[in-house]
Amino acid sequence: MSKNKKIFDFVVYAFIFVFIFAFIIYAGKFNAFGKFIMGIEYKTFDIRQNIILSHKQNNKDIVIIAVDDPSYEYIAEKFGTWPVPRSFWADLITGLEKANPKFIAFDLLFTKRLGALDEGDLKLIEAIKSNKNVYLSMNFDNYPSQIRIPPQLPDNLKVNVVNGDIIKNSPMLHFTNCRNAMEELLQVTDNFGFINVTRDDDGIIRYIAPMFYYKDAYYPNLTTLIALKYLNIEPASMRIERDKLILDEKHKIPLNPDGRAIVNWYGKEGTFEYVSLWEVDNAIRNNNEAFLKKKFENKVVYIGTTVTALADIKSTPVSFMYPGVETHATFLNNILDNNFITHFSFKADLAISVILCFLIGFCILKFESVTYSILCSVSIILVYIVITVIAMQFFNVWLGIILPVLSATLIFVSAYITKYLLKSKDYEHTYRLAVTDGLTEMYNHRYFQEQMIMNVQNVSRYGGCFSLILIDIDFFKKFNDKHGHQSGDAVLRQVAQTIKKNIRTSDIACRYGGEEMSIILTNTAKEDAKTVAKKVWSAVRERKFELADGSWANVTISVGVACMPNNGSSPQELIEYADKCLYKAKQEGRDQVVSEIG
């Protein structure tokens, strides 16, 4: 490959490279394109999370008391229906406190009564008032004020977040209404957090918000509140720096541009230790303190439902039947272990795409073999995909797959289409050189023979006719001796030009050899061929030809015409007949057209 050819190919590939990335950047401005790319990217995240599950270990200090199917039936037998009397939860709190748990967190809502408080309500209020390690839940929403008047929450539930605009300005985290808890509970405890979860467009929960914004104030997720207490961190010290919610110097929650954190999942449902609610109730009623201490002593205890009938089952990257309570336990585990996923930005994905495309472009330019190029390119993509899995497993980094792989694929396909087109052009140029006479730029003798065979075959198979014209420049040897070979070459070129100007584009003009030239006229009868021959003969006769020294001269030609099937049925017979006509023209004085030898 010549140096100029290499430079040309490099410029073409560079143009393709720039064009594709300009297209991707332009397309990225459209929301639909971004959603399409992100929708597929989410699936790659899910796959990677499932691949690395076996290498993760959840925190053994987090335990879940589950309202599972047996517990639901147990409750139905005992109380007849759900929800259970609130005295049941009061007894549960009192019994659990004997095991000295670190925290008790309810992923259940204790909303206000329509009527007066009953004995169970009062008992629950007293149990929560007496135990400062019990945490309760509320839920934000955007219900119209005509349905529910937005309540004013107590100031002691608010938290201070410095530089919190990322949360304040997030449509996902900015709410206009709240499903309030019992006023009496709000009066006896500050331990209220919020349990809102947000789903992506495909219904999967991949993110959890650590903070929410309501009525010009920040409110913590239930799990964020528990984590702050667990780590002995004052809420007033929280701030957001470089898209991270800083709890303390060690514990930082990376936030997406919408203010949510990416959850790092530990396993399928049931990863954390589960204890059925009916077992706990039995242990409390039978004063089985050994069981309670073994399960709950110094543990963070979440209480929530896992039974499908109570509609708190979520879809997550690792399971489509994931209990909501375990989602919150996973979030707490992430905070305590400082084990969140950080998603690289679009710009970072674009930079990775550039590197991949550069490597693949290098492979395509480096290897002439298609097999080697494909193997090299596929290997680069596969190695990158493996790197993304390793990055997520060991560094908690979510490297984009779809944008880099899509870019690399577009570059690969576009480069190969271009390479094919360039090669086709090179082949066409090479073939043209192989079948073209360098002096006259007519087709050469080899091409003439190929076309003769092809035309004979077509006429033999389908019928019809074709004609052949042979041309010889009169006294050309004497002309060369008199004016020199350079002038002879100039005349040959100009005669060839004259011939090509006076025939159809479908006619094939060839240099037969020396000063002889030929014209193959496809689908042309003999009379029409004679007309063309006379037209060419006349045009040459009337033209003045410029010689190498700048002078001018006239030349004449002798012409012989043959036609299939009139004068033969093979290339040899037709050439022989046309040659005899040409010989006759010379014998009879040259400068004429002859089409019959008899």
Side-chain angles (χ1 to χ4, degrees):
M1 187 183 289
S2 68
K3 184 178 179 180
N4 289 340
K5 180 72 167 55
K6 285 183 178 180
I7 294 173
F8 176 75
D9 287 354
F10 177 80
V11 170
V12 170
Y13 291 134
F15 175 79
I16 294 170
F17 187 90
V18 171
F19 175 80
I20 287 176
F21 277 98
F23 171 77
I24 289 172
I25 293 170
Y26 175 74
K29 296 179 180 179
F30 294 94
N31 193 42
F33 178 78
K35 283 188 173 182
F36 171 74
I37 294 294
M38 203 60 208
I40 307 175
E41 185 64 43
Y42 281 152
K43 300 305 178 186
T44 72
F45 173 82
D46 299 349
I47 292 170
R48 281 175 276 178
Q49 282 285 295
N50 280 278
I51 288 173
I52 64 179
L53 282 182
S54 60
H55 302 282
K56 297 180 183 179
Q57 186 65 48
N58 62 291
N59 193 317
K60 300 304 179 184
D61 289 336
I62 301 173
V63 182
I64 296 172
I65 296 177
V67 185
D68 52 14
D69 288 288
S71 299
Y72 188 67
E73 188 169 334
Y74 172 83
I75 289 169
E77 287 290 329
K78 244 177 125 74
F79 302 106
T81 185
W82 181 274
V84 299
R86 288 177 175 172
S87 58
F88 175 84
W89 302 114
D91 292 339
L92 182 69
I93 292 170
T94 303
L96 284 174
E97 290 294 350
K98 295 177 182 179
N100 193 30
K102 190 175 287 289
F103 301 107
I104 300 172
F106 280 89
D107 184 30
L108 301 168
L109 300 179
F110 296 115
T111 55
K112 62 182 180 180
R113 290 287 192 186
L114 292 177
L117 299 180
D118 61 19
E119 185 179 343
D121 295 327
L122 296 173
K123 193 174 181 179
L124 177 63
I125 293 166
E126 184 57 35
I128 291 171
K129 181 180 179 181
S130 303
N131 297 285
K132 299 302 182 183
N133 63 339
V134 178
Y135 288 80
L136 305 178
S137 302
M138 284 195 288
N139 200 51
F140 286 121
D141 56 44
N142 291 307
Y143 276 36
S145 58
Q146 294 91 333
I147 295 176
R148 184 200 311 129
I149 297 174
Q152 185 64 46
L153 298 177
D155 288 343
N156 51 16
L157 301 188
K158 301 174 184 178
V159 293
N160 183 41
V161 180
V162 179
N163 299 327
D165 286 348
I166 191 173
I167 297 168
K168 178 180 178 181
N169 298 328
S170 173
M172 290 185 170
L173 309 182
H174 196 152
F175 293 94
T176 59
N177 213 325
C178 176
R179 192 177 179 189
N180 211 355
M182 294 171 57
E183 290 292 338
E184 293 76 10
L185 290 176
L186 289 167
Q187 293 170 9
V188 299
T189 182
D190 299 340
N191 296 340
F192 273 96
F194 295 82
I195 55 174
N196 293 74
V197 293
T198 56
R199 293 172 173 82
D200 294 317
D201 291 340
D202 57 359
I204 306 295
I205 295 174
R206 299 181 181 88
Y207 303 85
I208 289 184
M211 291 288 164
F212 304 98
Y213 195 77
Y214 173 73
K215 285 196 171 185
D216 300 323
Y218 298 97
Y219 294 88
N221 185 298
L222 172 67
T223 296
T224 307
L225 183 62
I226 294 170
L228 291 171
K229 298 291 184 180
Y230 189 101
L231 300 169
N232 295 316
I233 298 172
E234 288 297 326
S237 66
M238 286 189 298
R239 66 190 186 280
I240 294 177
E241 290 181 1
R242 297 181 180 178
D243 296 336
K244 288 184 179 181
L245 178 63
I246 312 296
L247 304 184
D248 61 15
E249 290 307 311
K250 182 180 178 182
H251 298 88
K252 302 173 183 180
I253 304 177
L255 301 178
N256 266 27
D258 58 18
R260 299 180 299 164
I262 305 170
V263 180
N264 200 353
W265 304 92
Y266 293 92
K268 310 289 184 183
E269 66 277 5
T271 300
F272 294 90
E273 183 180 0
Y274 272 80
V275 185
S276 292
L277 179 64
W278 72 269
E279 291 184 274
V280 180
D281 188 59
N282 267 346
I284 292 172
R285 291 180 184 279
N286 295 322
N287 293 317
N288 189 350
E289 291 189 16
F291 173 85
L292 296 173
K293 280 186 174 293
K294 179 182 177 182
K295 295 293 184 181
F296 307 115
E297 187 173 21
N298 214 30
K299 303 287 181 70
V300 178
V301 182
Y302 275 91
I303 302 170
T305 65
T306 63
V307 61
T308 307
L310 297 179
D312 194 30
I313 302 300
K314 316 295 185 185
S315 293
T316 69
V318 295
S319 174
F320 287 107
M321 299 292 287
Y322 205 84
V325 64
E326 191 165 351
T327 301
H328 297 292
T330 302
F331 184 43
L332 177 62
N333 204 153
N334 284 177
I335 296 175
L336 299 184
D337 293 351
N338 211 26
N339 195 31
F340 287 96
I341 301 290
T342 301
H343 191 183
F344 271 26
S345 66
F346 174 79
K347 290 181 179 178
D349 285 350
L350 202 61
I352 293 169
S353 302
V354 170
I355 295 171
L356 284 184
C357 291
F358 174 80
L359 293 174
I360 287 174
F362 175 79
C363 286
I364 293 172
L365 286 171
K366 178 72 175 176
F367 299 115
E368 287 294 326
S369 168
V370 175
T371 303
Y372 285 158
S373 295
I374 292 175
L375 286 175
C376 180
S377 300
V378 171
S379 297
I380 289 170
I381 291 172
L382 290 178
V383 167
Y384 173 69
I385 291 173
V386 171
I387 289 172
T388 66
V389 176
I390 293 171
M392 187 170 287
Q393 179 180 337
F394 294 103
F395 304 102
N396 290 339
V397 171
W398 178 355
L399 296 175
I401 286 182
I402 298 305
L403 184 61
V405 171
L406 175 63
S407 302
T409 303
L410 286 174
I411 286 290
F412 180 82
V413 172
S414 301
Y416 252 100
I417 290 174
T418 304
K419 191 171 186 177
Y420 172 78
L421 293 175
L422 290 174
K423 279 188 172 293
S424 297
K425 186 177 179 181
D426 290 344
Y427 175 78
E428 182 182 340
H429 178 67
T430 303
Y431 178 74
R432 186 169 183 82
L433 289 176
V435 300
T436 303
D437 175 64
L439 177 63
T440 62
E441 296 184 352
M442 288 176 138
Y443 290 110
N444 59 20
H445 187 79
R446 173 187 171 186
Y447 189 78
F448 166 77
Q449 294 291 351
E450 290 175 357
Q451 292 299 312
M452 285 294 293
I453 293 170
M454 187 182 299
N455 276 273
V456 167
Q457 289 174 345
N458 286 339
V459 172
S460 299
R461 185 177 301 170
Y462 304 112
C465 59
F466 87 96
S467 296
L468 169 66
I469 299 173
L470 286 183
I471 301 168
D472 186 78
I473 301 176
D474 296 330
F475 303 112
F476 190 68
K477 185 177 183 303
K478 291 181 180 180
F479 184 92
N480 276 339
D481 292 341
K482 180 180 179 181
H483 298 286
H485 286 282
Q486 287 186 337
S487 293
D489 289 345
V491 168
L492 279 174
R493 281 194 295 270
Q494 293 171 72
V495 169
Q497 292 170 0
T498 305
I499 291 172
K500 287 191 286 187
K501 283 181 180 179
N502 286 275
I503 60 176
R504 301 169 301 184
T505 54
S506 59
D507 297 333
I508 302 166
C510 306
R511 185 178 182 186
Y512 189 74
E515 69 273 19
E516 287 191 64
M517 301 173 191
S518 63
I519 307 170
I520 299 172
L521 301 97
T522 303
N523 297 322
T524 304
K526 193 165 188 178
E527 288 301 316
D528 293 329
K530 285 169 60 179
T531 302
V532 173
K534 288 180 178 179
K535 182 180 178 184
V536 170
W537 166 77
S538 177
V540 172
R541 195 172 193 276
E542 293 173 1
R543 177 174 175 174
K544 284 191 175 294
F545 296 91
E546 185 176 6
L547 306 185
D549 60 1
S551 61
W552 298 83
N554 291 96
V555 296
T556 59
I557 56 175
S558 297
V559 184
V561 181
C563 179
M564 178 181 179
N566 308 53
N567 307 126
S569 57
S570 69
Q572 292 78 10
E573 291 176 358
L574 289 169
I575 294 170
E576 185 178 351
Y577 191 90
D579 197 45
K580 286 179 179 179
C581 289
L582 181 59
Y583 181 76
K584 184 180 178 181
K586 290 181 179 180
Q587 288 292 103
E588 294 180 354
R590 293 181 169 81
D591 191 20
Q592 59 186 290
V593 176
V594 174
S595 60
E596 300 293 340
I597 59 175

